Amino acid sequence: MTPSTPSRWAGTTGRMRQAYLKTRRKDDAAAQEDDAEEMVARAIIDLAMRIGETAMLSGATAAQSARLVGRVTRAFHLPAHVDATYTRIVVSYQPSFAGDPITAMRVVPAGMIDYHRLGELESLVESVQAGHLEVGEARVRLSEVRGRASQYRTWVMVLASGVMGGAFAAILGGSVGDQMVAALAAALVDLVRRPLMKFGTTPFFAQVVGAAVPTAIALGLMSARSHWPNPVWESMTPGIIVAAGMASMLAGIGLMAAASEAIEGYYLTANARTFEVFTMTGAIVLGLLVTLWLGLRVGVQGYLTPVAGFTTALTHQLFAAGVIALAFGVGCHMGPRASVVAFWLGVLLWGGYSAARTLTDSHPAASGVAAVLIGLISQLTGRKLAIPVVAMVTIGVSPLMPSLLLYRGVFTAVTGLGPDPAGTLLLRCAMTALALAVGTSFGTAVALALQRLGRLRRMRLRHRAVATGTSA
C-alpha cells in the first residue's frame, strides 16, 4: 500500500458515507410521504365503510350500500374495490403494483329500517361528492347522523303497526269488527316483540311468540262463538284476523329485496335473504301451530284457513292501500311529509294494479305493471322531495308485498290445509316478488334515461343560447 492509499481510502469512504446518508434522507422522506398517503387512504376507507354500514343498517340493500361506498371513495379519487354482502362490507385499495394493498372488512349486524337516516346519509354523500366536506368533517357529520334519536317514539310505532293490521283486514274484505280486532292484534304483536328483541332474543323465537298473539285472539273468538253466541262474533273471520294481525311480521319485503339483489348480480346476498325469509315465515307458522295445539289441549277446536283474494270495493281498496303504505312508512321512520307521500304512492300503486287486472288475470303481471309506475315516479320525484328512492320504492309497493302469499304457501306446505297446492302458492309468491323487483328496476331505469335526455337537452339549449349571444 502506497502512502497515498490511506488518504484515497478515507476519501472514498467519506464520499460513500455522504452518499449513503443522502440516500437515507431521501428514503426517509419517501417513507414519510408513503405513510402520510397510507394514513389518508385508511381514513377515506374507514369513512366510506362506516357510511356503507350505516346505510345497510338503515334498510339499504347490499348493492345500494356498495354504490354509496364507491361514491365516497371516488369523490376522494381513491380507486378502491368494494364488495358487499348481506352481513359484511370489504374495501380494498392497492397504492401501486409493488405496494401492499390496504384491505378492511366491517361486519354489519342486523338493524331496524330507518329511511329518514338513510336520506341523511345520501345527503352526506352528495355533499362529499360536491367537495363541500373533507374527511374529518364528513366523519363528524356521520357521527351526528348515527347518534340522532329515532324519528318517532315507541307508542307511535306501535300505533302504526295497529293501523297497518286494520288496513290489511280491510283490503282482505274484513268487517269493521275484523279490522278493529286485527288492529289490536297487530299492535299487541309489536308490543310483545320489542322487549324480546331488546333483551337479546333471536328473531326466530321473537317471530314464534309474535305469531302466537293473533292466533290466541282468534282462538278466543272461536271459543266465544261456541259458548256465547252473538252476532258480533259470528260476523268476524278468524283467518283474516290472524293474517292481518301478523302483517308487521310477514317477510314480503325481504323476498322482494332478495329478488332485487339477484337482479343487481349479488347472488350470495339474494340466497341469504331468501333463506332468511323462509326461516322467519316458518317461525310464524310454528307459533301459529303451537298455539292451535295448545288451544286444542284446553278444549278449543281451532281451524284456520288462510284467506285469499281481495273482496272489498275498489274505493275501499285504494284507501286501505294508501293507509298500509303510510303506516309502513311510519314504521320505517319516514318523516311526516314523506309519510304523506307514501300514502299517495300506495293509492297510485293500487290504482295501477287494478287497471292492469282489467287487462290480465295474472296477479304477478299486474303487480309488475304497477311497480313500473312506482319506480318511475320515485326516481323522477325522489331528489326533489328529498326522499331516498329506495324508500319511496319499498314503501310504495308495500300493499302488494307477497307476504300473505308466502304465509299461505308455507302454512299449506306444513299442514296440508287450504284450497290451493303449496307449490302453486309459493311459485306465485316468488313470481310476485320478482315482478315487483323487475318492475321497480325497469321504472327507475326509464326515469334515469328520461333525466339524462333532459340534461342533454338543457345543455344543448344552453350552448345554443351562448352561441347566439356570442354571434350577436
Side-chain angles (χ1 to χ4, degrees):
M1 181 178 293
T2 63
S4 62
T5 302
S7 60
R8 289 181 180 178
W9 173 259
T12 304
T13 304
R15 287 192 296 271
M16 291 179 63
R17 183 182 296 110
Q18 291 175 2
Y20 172 75
L21 292 175
K22 186 177 180 180
T23 305
R24 178 67 179 271
R25 284 194 293 270
K26 290 182 179 179
D27 290 344
D28 289 344
Q32 291 175 4
E33 186 177 349
D34 290 343
D35 290 344
E37 181 181 351
E38 182 177 339
M39 186 184 305
V40 173
R42 289 186 183 279
I44 295 171
I45 289 174
D46 182 72
L47 170 66
M49 290 185 66
R50 289 179 183 274
I51 288 176
E53 175 198 24
T54 309
M56 199 175 292
L57 287 172
S58 302
T61 63
Q64 293 157 352
S65 300
R67 279 196 291 269
L68 281 179
V69 173
R71 287 169 61 185
V72 174
T73 57
R74 286 192 299 272
F76 291 108
H77 306 288
L78 189 75
H81 173 75
V82 182
D83 183 33
T85 64
Y86 191 32
T87 56
R88 64 174 184 147
I89 298 175
V90 179
V91 180
S92 182
Y93 163 66
Q94 189 164 6
S96 63
F97 178 76
D100 295 329
I102 302 173
T103 303
M105 183 184 76
R106 200 168 188 89
V107 176
V108 182
M112 300 295 293
I113 296 177
D114 190 338
Y115 286 138
H116 180 72
R117 184 169 59 186
L118 183 59
E120 292 183 325
L121 280 176
E122 290 192 350
S123 176
L124 169 60
V125 173
E126 289 175 0
S127 298
V128 169
Q129 285 186 302
H132 299 155
L133 295 175
E134 293 301 326
V135 177
E137 297 169 331
R139 284 180 64 91
V140 172
R141 186 167 161 186
L142 176 61
S143 298
E144 294 174 354
V145 171
R146 289 167 65 104
R148 198 161 292 149
S150 299
Q151 185 78 3
Y152 300 106
R153 295 183 180 272
T154 301
W155 69 267
V156 178
M157 307 293 289
V158 173
L159 180 62
S161 295
V163 170
M164 185 164 62
F168 263 115
I171 212 169
L172 292 174
S175 63
V176 175
D178 288 328
Q179 296 171 34
M180 295 177 62
V181 176
L184 175 63
L188 288 176
V189 167
D190 200 42
L191 276 175
V192 168
R193 292 175 70 237
R194 284 183 180 275
L196 290 175
M197 298 296 291
K198 182 178 180 181
F199 288 112
T201 305
T202 60
F204 180 88
F205 292 108
Q207 291 280 89
V208 172
V209 176
V213 174
T215 309
I217 292 175
L219 285 176
L221 174 63
M222 287 183 274
S223 178
R225 279 180 172 180
S226 59
H227 291 89
W228 303 284
N230 190 297
V232 176
W233 318 133
E234 298 297 331
S235 64
M236 294 184 185
T237 307
I240 289 180
I241 292 172
V242 170
M246 295 177 181
S248 61
M249 295 193 303
L250 296 175
I253 185 173
L255 198 59
M256 180 188 161
S260 298
E261 299 278 21
I263 292 173
E264 295 276 0
Y266 288 74
Y267 302 111
L268 182 63
T269 302
N271 288 333
R273 286 187 182 275
T274 303
F275 187 77
E276 181 192 37
V277 165
F278 279 94
T279 301
M280 293 298 103
T281 306
I284 292 174
V285 174
L286 176 61
L288 183 147
L289 293 178
V290 169
T291 307
L292 288 178
W293 178 80
L294 291 175
L296 185 63
R297 298 291 294 178
V298 299
V300 179
Q301 295 291 333
Y303 178 82
L304 294 176
T305 300
V307 293
F310 313 110
T311 59
T312 55
L314 178 59
T315 53
H316 295 169
Q317 291 180 4
L318 291 172
F319 181 75
V323 172
I324 289 171
L326 186 150
F328 192 62
V330 172
C332 294
H333 297 277
M334 294 182 75
R337 181 176 60 87
S339 298
V340 173
V341 174
F343 173 84
W344 290 110
L345 284 175
V347 174
L348 182 65
L349 172 86
W350 206 268
Y353 170 78
S354 301
R357 284 306 296 261
T358 62
L359 303 176
T360 175
D361 290 333
S362 171
H363 172 73
S367 300
V369 171
V372 171
L373 187 61
I374 295 299
L376 182 68
I377 298 299
S378 299
Q379 182 62 44
L380 290 176
T381 62
R383 183 180 292 272
K384 297 177 182 178
L385 297 173
I387 304 174
V389 174
V390 60
M392 293 183 67
V393 167
T394 306
I395 301 299
V397 301
S398 58
L400 283 176
M401 290 287 187
S403 304
L404 296 177
L405 273 173
L406 181 62
Y407 160 64
R408 288 175 57 204
V410 176
F411 181 86
T412 304
V414 172
T415 64
L417 304 175
D420 300 315
T424 302
L425 293 172
L426 292 175
L427 179 60
R428 191 181 178 193
C429 172
M431 292 300 295
T432 301
L434 184 60
L436 290 175
V438 172
T440 52
S441 297
F442 180 73
T444 302
V446 171
L448 285 171
L450 292 176
Q451 289 174 334
R452 292 191 191 99
L453 290 175
R455 284 194 295 268
L456 290 174
R457 183 174 180 274
R458 288 192 295 270
M459 289 176 61
R460 291 196 195 98
L461 291 176
R462 193 179 301 116
H463 292 160
R464 187 178 302 170
V466 170
T468 304
T470 303
S471 61

